Structure formats: structure tokens, C-alpha cells
Amino acid sequence: DIQMTQSPSFLSASLGNSITITCHASQNIKGWLAWYQQKSGNAPELLIYKASSLQSGVPSRFSGSGSGTDYILTISNLQPEDIATYYCQHYQSFPLTFGSGTKLEIK
Amino acid sequence: EVQLVESGGGLVQPGRSMKLSCAASGFTFNNYDMAWVCQAPKKGLEWVATISYDGSSTYYRDSVKGRFTISRDNAKSTLYLQMDSLRSEDTATYYCARRGSSFDYWGQGVMVTVSS
């Protein structure tokens, strides 16, 4: 099974700043990576698929990059509505696995 | 508008069964693979199972193989998860999701509590 190691677990940043979240796969997932945002009490929402493709309706402040085993989610110009937990997920093969999540707090 | 509405959750005793349903609307259901994803209280997301658009292929996480069965009725635009031999560690919110691999739409989730 492919393991996804996500870091950091917790992140505190100021409005207007940029943050990055990283995800490391235990083997090459060939760009088959998605990022999700989950706000408290809600279902997750897809932000990024195929490592860098922005899901329709998602603000361009969100971007994804990476290849092979290492991937990054960047959120620029942090807004109050970005308070959430973020998850990466590979879909290179079954079983699909998620990272452990990054909880983002606004200072 | 794409909508996924889960139902069928609740409290169940260990060893018993429960069947979840997910009613889909706003898209051509039989064009899409579908999946179930769960989230234990205060924990992260875990993929449970995926079914192909025509029901011919199914995939499961190891911990539910032989106990859970994913199925679909394309005529009713409904996805199912039959859960047998339930364990306390199956306690979670269960989400149905569109697409079998990267999930572009999610239901609101249904809570399943396995406890005596």
C-alpha cells in the first residue's frame, strides 16, 4: 500500500500571508494526487486534482505542484474562510489513501 | 446541481448489519464510478470502497473486505453500502462521493455508531 506522509499537522499563519503544506508518498504516484479542504462540521471539498489542476470554482489562491513522490499545496493571500483542515490523497492505485491532515489556523 | 444524499445510519450493536444508501441527482449517475469514504470521530479521512460506473468492478480497503459490500442501482441513481459483522472501529461518518478515485462531489455524510 502507498503511504502518504503529510506535514505539518498544524499551521498558524496571518491573513494575507502564504502557506505551504507538503505530502510525501511512499512510492511514485505519477501525479495522481488530490487535495481537499474540510471545514468544521462539513464534508470535504476537492481543491486540486492531478497534482496541479484547479477544481472548478476554487479560488486561484490555491495551487498545487509536485511530481514523483513529493507534492505541495500552496495557499496565497490567506483569507478567514481558509480556516479548515487540508488533506492530500493519492489515487495511483487501490487502496486509495489520505494524508493525516493539516489543521490551518489564522493568527 | 449535483446532489448526494446519504441515509440509513444510526446506532447498531457489534456484530450486526446496516445498509447505507446514497441518492444521487443532478448528473448522469451511470456515467460515474462512485465511492464511500469514512471519518471516525475527530480523525482523518479513510477510503472505504469504490464501484465502477456499471457495477462490474469493486474495490475495498483491507479492513472491510469480506464484511462490506458496495453496490449500485443505476435505474434508481442510488449507491449502497451493505455493512455486516460491524465492529466498534467502524464507528464513523460515512460519505458517498462521486468518482471512484479523486472525489469531486461529496454527500453531507451519515453517522454510524457501533456500540452495545
Side-chain angles (χ1 to χ4, degrees):
Chain A
D1 297 1
I2 298 172
Q3 310 304 316
M4 304 301 294
T5 303
Q6 186 175 339
S7 62
S9 300
F10 180 82
L11 191 51
S12 182
S14 300
L15 292 176
N17 282 6
S18 295
I19 63 100
T20 61
I21 298 170
T22 65
C23 208
H24 174 78
S26 59
Q27 63 190 73
N28 185 356
I29 57 172
K30 303 172 186 175
W32 298 112
L33 184 100
W35 290 98
Y36 301 89
Q37 176 192 66
Q38 186 177 31
K39 297 182 179 179
S40 181
N42 288 354
E45 294 185 2
L46 179 65
L47 298 173
I48 302 285
Y49 61 97
K50 200 56 174 76
S52 59
S53 296
L54 192 67
Q55 174 69 1
S56 175
V58 174
S60 58
R61 303 184 290 103
F62 293 87
S63 63
S65 63
S67 63
T69 60
D70 295 295
Y71 299 85
I72 295 172
L73 174 69
T74 300
I75 311 174
S76 55
N77 188 22
L78 274 172
Q79 299 297 303
E81 60 266 29
D82 299 335
I83 295 173
T85 300
Y86 295 84
Y87 295 92
C88 63
Q89 177 234 329
H90 89 82
Y91 51 106
Q92 198 275 330
S93 60
F94 292 105
L96 312 178
T97 51
F98 290 86
S100 55
T102 297
K103 188 170 185 178
L104 175 61
E105 171 194 274
I106 305 296
K107 283 182 184 174
Chain B
E1 179 194 3
V2 172
Q3 284 199 321
L4 299 168
V5 180
E6 301 96 338
S7 59
L11 176 64
V12 62
Q13 292 180 329
R16 302 299 290 263
S17 298
M18 177 173 278
K19 187 171 186 176
L20 305 181
S21 300
C22 171
S25 60
F27 65 101
T28 304
F29 183 69
N30 58 14
N31 281 356
Y32 288 86
D33 297 349
M34 298 291 294
W36 289 97
V37 177
C38 72
Q39 186 169 35
K42 307 289 187 187
K43 298 295 186 182
L45 300 167
E46 286 191 337
W47 167 76
V48 176
T50 288
I51 187 167
S52 62
Y53 68 97
D54 61 355
S56 62
S57 298
T58 56
Y59 309 87
Y60 299 91
R61 65 180 295 110
D62 282 350
S63 63
V64 308
K65 276 180 189 174
R67 299 189 302 121
F68 289 13
T69 303
I70 188 172
S71 62
R72 64 192 297 159
D73 184 335
N74 283 347
K76 295 182 178 179
S77 295
T78 303
L79 177 72
Y80 302 101
L81 185 67
Q82 175 68 44
M83 303 184 293
D84 299 323
S85 303
L86 281 160
R87 306 167 180 168
S88 58
E89 55 264 36
D90 297 321
T91 293
T93 296
Y94 286 76
Y95 297 100
C96 74
R98 194 178 81 163
R99 298 213 307 234
S101 49
S102 66
F103 312 118
D104 63 348
Y105 286 93
W106 299 61
Q108 84 287 355
V110 62
M111 184 69 198
V112 173
T113 303
V114 184
S115 175
S116 54

